[in-house]
């Protein structure tokens, strides 16, 4: 994984902290969103 990808992963994971119950989340495309969705899945598990 490149340094830029590592940064995107950190951003995606950090974004999950802003999501509260009943929040509607608009998603874009790309690697950062993938990391965020993965982290969100772990968060709600």
């Amino acid at each position: 994984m490149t340094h830029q990808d590592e940064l995107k992963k950190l951003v995606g994971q950090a974004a999950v902290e802003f999501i509260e119950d009943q929040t509607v989340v608009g998603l874009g495309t790309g690697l950062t969103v993938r990391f965020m969705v993965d982290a969100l899945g772990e968060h709600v598990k």
Side-chain angles (χ1 to χ4, degrees):
M1 189 177 299
T2 67
H3 179 68
Q4 185 173 1
D5 290 347
E6 289 288 340
L7 293 174
K8 289 180 179 188
K9 184 174 183 177
L10 291 173
V11 169
Q13 292 170 337
V16 171
E17 301 303 317
F18 293 95
I19 301 173
E20 299 176 356
D21 288 346
Q22 305 299 316
T23 300
V24 175
V25 179
L27 300 177
T29 61
L31 190 55
T32 307
V33 171
R34 184 181 137 215
F35 289 133
M36 190 276 299
V37 170
D38 290 343
L40 183 60
E42 288 297 316
H43 182 75
V44 298
K45 193 190 261 187

